[in-house]
Amino acid sequence: MTHRILRTAGALCAALLPTLASAQWLDYAQIEGSANNASVVLVKALRDGELTVVPALISATAARWEDGQTVAIGLTPRWELAGGEHQWLVGVGVGANSYRSRGGATLDEESSLSLRAQTEFMGPMPGGSYYALLQATTFRGGAFAAVQYSLQGTPLALETSYYRETSYHAFNLGLRFALPVDRWFVRVGATHDDRTRVYFGVAYNGF
């Protein structure tokens, strides 16, 4: 791991401390970075006290890579299509998005409202449990896919994800380690776009 990656990891952990102090206001928070990339994900579930209703999600995300960056906020109502041991959720919502290029000879900027959709699958499987998420937005053809396999009886989970928009795409493969602090995790692995680098992240999952 290069010194630059270590400095990035340290900065990400420091940036997470305010969120840690007020984690009760969020249901999911994730900060991740590598030598040239960084991302932040914040999610709040709008619960109305009725546990049988799938809550809508308010989200705020930001991502930055070598030659671009994007910020988005969104509201996504969700519904359960299948329950029981294996659960299937779908969501359709709206968002506000912004994109800005970085490091090029000319500045490219774009902002607009968008439609978004997502689907989630979760349940048990041999030796552990799975969670899968697929998301898409009309803004710059954005798409995100993630799959997680948690190993039963261990603090480990295997993770893989793919992110795409008009001018960028990246593939991640890594491990998630549960911390002694309840609901907190460390994430480490490799990210590949035009080259491969180590990434490091911290996540809080209150779902």
Side-chain angles (χ1 to χ4, degrees), residues 16 19 26-31 41-43 184 202-206:
L16 192 63
T19 303
L26 290 171
D27 290 285
Y28 186 85
Q30 176 182 302
I31 298 180
V41 178
L42 304 174
V43 179
W184 286 90
V202 181
Y204 168 81
N205 190 347

Side-chain angles (χ1 to χ4, degrees), residues 145-187:
V147 177
Q148 182 183 95
Y149 172 59
S150 299
L151 298 171
Q152 185 176 8
T154 77
L156 298 178
L158 307 176
E159 297 184 324
T160 184
S161 65
Y162 176 76
Y163 174 79
R164 184 201 72 196
E165 65 102 59
T166 300
S167 61
Y168 179 74
H169 66 91
F171 173 76
N172 282 7
L173 180 63
L175 295 174
R176 188 192 71 176
F177 302 87
L179 295 174
V181 181
D182 190 34
R183 300 180 182 273
W184 286 90
F185 305 88
V186 169
R187 304 171 60 251

Side-chain angles (χ1 to χ4, degrees), residues 1 8 12 19 27 54 85 87 102 115 121 131 162 164 169 171 181 183 196 198 207:
M1 184 182 290
T8 301
L12 292 175
T19 303
D27 290 285
V54 179
E85 192 174 37
Q87 194 174 17
R102 300 175 59 237
L115 298 176
F121 304 89
Y131 174 78
Y162 176 76
R164 184 201 72 196
H169 66 91
F171 173 76
V181 181
R183 300 180 182 273
T196 301
V198 173
F207 285 105

